[in-house]
Amino acid sequence: MSKKRALDSFFTPISHKKARLSPEPPIKPESSQIDPSSTDFSNHWNYPYPVPHLPSDTVGELNQVPASEGRAINDQPDLDLLYFQPYVPKSIERDLFEFLRQNLFFYRVQYTIKRYGTETQINTPRYTTVFGVDTSSTFTATGDLVDSQTAKSVSPERYKGCASQPRPIPQCLDHLRQLTEIFSGATYNFCLVNYYANGADSISYHSDDERFLGSNPSIASFSLGATRDFCMKHKPIPPKDGEPPPEQNLKPPLKLPLASGDMVLMRGKTQAYWLHSIPKRKGKGSEGGRINITFRKGVEKYSTQNYYQYNVGEGAVWKWDKRKGEMREWMKSRNE
Ligand SMILES: O=C(O)CCC(=O)C(=O)O
């Protein structure tokens, strides 16, 4: 059986009733309040509001991934990428972008760090959100957390101090996660989503090299919406004890013009040795919004603490306002 046929039969499209938001999102963390068998939307006590399931025709099209062959980029030291242009079929990338922008909830996170001994406020220059939990815990079908080893309820102590308690990946993202797992051979338990409203939003050079992701993590990174440059450069090579400073890799940064539907699979030593960024963009092509979705695997509880701190934070919930064509602070009372 071909890969596409296999995927098709694995994912039978969900019968689609018209998705709608329930009048009141659940507020009490009691699993009995939640209907996990709903075919309309994903819900959890820790979602501000329910998230509609993907329309069944979008699911059907999505099952055709990858839409093109991946191109290996591994001709530089320690770099191991697989670049799909595109991964998501062209027939649905715009609808998928609009659907996720309309239905997910986002945050504009602020936090403080000590810089040169002074408390400095950092305003994250993009909208963020996160779903999932590290390998020490597992969600039950009703969205409760149990210990992955003992299957006993997880004590709230485990994620004490998190800006938000963990919440499961909604169906509209989990479907893509499952497809990506089958394709890449890796497993993922977190989904991070960034929304760059325009060219002023960005992410600075960093690597996802935290210990809580394990060694040589596989990270699948999807782009939807406006094209933005993905820049990569090798980390400076540190001197070895007693040896002269090593020659640095002075090649210009690698620049991948990520278009809607593209996917970059970063793997091997990439995170250990390379930095990546989405720089700000001015002028032509700077107006449109862009969604980035990454799937990754957290192997320690610190991944949960870190991701919910820096991608949810303590501030307001933001939701796309279709009429105004911009993100707007979401208010439970408005329920739109
Ligand atoms: O938006 C992107 O393509 C990159 C996102 C990223 O680097 C991250 O979330 O760590």
Side-chain angles (χ1 to χ4, degrees):
M1 202 181 339
S2 78
K3 187 164 224 156
K4 280 182 180 163
R5 285 283 302 278
L7 291 180
D8 277 339
S9 49
F10 187 77
F11 292 109
T12 316
I14 295 157
S15 77
H16 180 64
K17 295 187 206 152
K18 199 168 158 36
R20 58 189 136 63
L21 301 183
S22 75
E24 276 295 318
I27 45 168
K28 247 172 78 195
E30 281 175 16
S31 52
S32 58
Q33 286 191 308
I34 300 165
D35 176 9
S37 64
S38 164
T39 54
D40 282 354
F41 49 79
S42 304
N43 208 351
H44 188 255
W45 63 268
N46 200 21
Y47 289 178
Y49 49 81
V51 180
H53 285 176
L54 283 179
S56 55
D57 47 351
T58 307
V59 172
E61 290 283 306
L62 202 51
N63 289 345
Q64 304 304 313
V65 294
S68 67
E69 287 278 305
R71 173 163 70 92
I73 305 181
N74 50 15
D75 55 348
Q76 297 206 43
D78 315 311
L79 188 65
D80 190 356
L81 306 178
L82 203 49
Y83 183 20
F84 296 83
Q85 295 174 283
Y87 187 92
V88 176
K90 281 285 156 207
S91 54
I92 53 159
E93 47 83 6
R94 190 70 211 176
D95 286 352
L96 188 57
F97 167 74
E98 304 273 0
F99 179 94
L100 295 175
R101 180 168 65 175
Q102 187 61 63
N103 293 304
L104 295 178
F105 32 84
F106 291 91
Y107 308 87
R108 199 85 190 184
V109 177
Q110 298 182 324
Y111 56 96
T112 54
I113 54 162
K114 264 226 160 88
R115 198 177 259 170
Y116 308 116
T118 311
E119 287 280 323
T120 311
Q121 180 169 305
I122 305 292
N123 299 317
T124 304
R126 60 192 178 282
Y127 296 88
T128 55
T129 198
V130 62
F131 302 95
V133 72
D134 64 275
T135 46
S136 72
S137 304
T138 306
F139 287 105
T140 64
T142 51
D144 298 316
L145 275 182
V146 293
D147 184 272
S148 303
Q149 300 293 322
T150 65
K152 291 197 175 127
S153 276
V154 166
S155 147
E157 285 293 298
R158 182 171 296 178
Y159 300 115
K160 198 174 79 181
C162 276
S164 156
Q165 286 294 301
R167 54 202 184 190
I169 303 175
Q171 179 268 6
C172 62
L173 291 166
D174 205 49
H175 191 72
L176 187 58
R177 180 191 64 85
Q178 292 180 55
L179 290 166
T180 312
E181 282 195 349
I182 294 170
F183 182 75
S184 68
T187 54
Y188 308 104
N189 52 20
F190 276 104
C191 177
L192 276 61
V193 187
N194 293 305
Y195 177 65
Y196 303 82
N198 52 45
D201 281 352
S202 61
I203 189 164
S204 55
Y205 269 116
H206 68 284
S207 59
D208 301 310
D209 61 352
E210 295 92 350
R211 256 189 40 188
F212 59 63
L213 291 178
S215 59
N216 297 341
S218 165
I219 299 184
S221 184
F222 290 85
S223 293
L224 292 167
T227 299
R228 293 288 294 264
D229 289 334
F230 185 64
C231 297
M232 298 194 77
K233 62 181 183 189
H234 200 284
K235 293 181 186 177
I237 304 164
K240 289 200 181 114
D241 274 354
E243 287 185 19
E247 231 177 80
Q248 300 293 329
N249 175 354
L250 296 175
K251 284 193 177 166
L254 190 70
K255 199 191 277 187
L256 308 180
L258 300 184
S260 196
D262 288 2
M263 193 268 260
V264 182
L265 185 64
M266 297 182 270
R267 53 190 185 180
K269 292 194 270 181
T270 305
Q271 299 302 334
Y273 290 96
W274 284 73
L275 300 164
H276 55 270
S277 73
I278 299 283
K280 295 190 189 303
R281 183 175 185 137
K282 288 201 176 114
K284 199 168 163 272
S286 64
E287 304 85 25
R290 169 179 180 264
I291 285 179
N292 164 254
I293 303 163
T294 53
F295 295 113
R296 34 184 103 189
K297 182 175 179 178
V299 295
E300 292 174 8
K301 68 174 186 173
Y302 305 109
S303 52
T304 303
Q305 290 167 344
N306 181 290
Y307 287 148
Y308 282 90
Q309 190 65 39
Y310 294 108
N311 296 280
V312 175
E314 316 285 348
V317 174
W318 291 79
K319 187 179 195 300
W320 179 251
D321 183 327
K322 198 171 179 185
R323 206 164 36 87
K324 292 198 162 167
E326 63 185 28
M327 284 286 178
R328 192 169 169 212
E329 266 191 48
W330 177 81
M331 275 177 237
K332 195 172 158 188
S333 56
R334 257 201 329 256
N335 193 37
E336 49 196 22

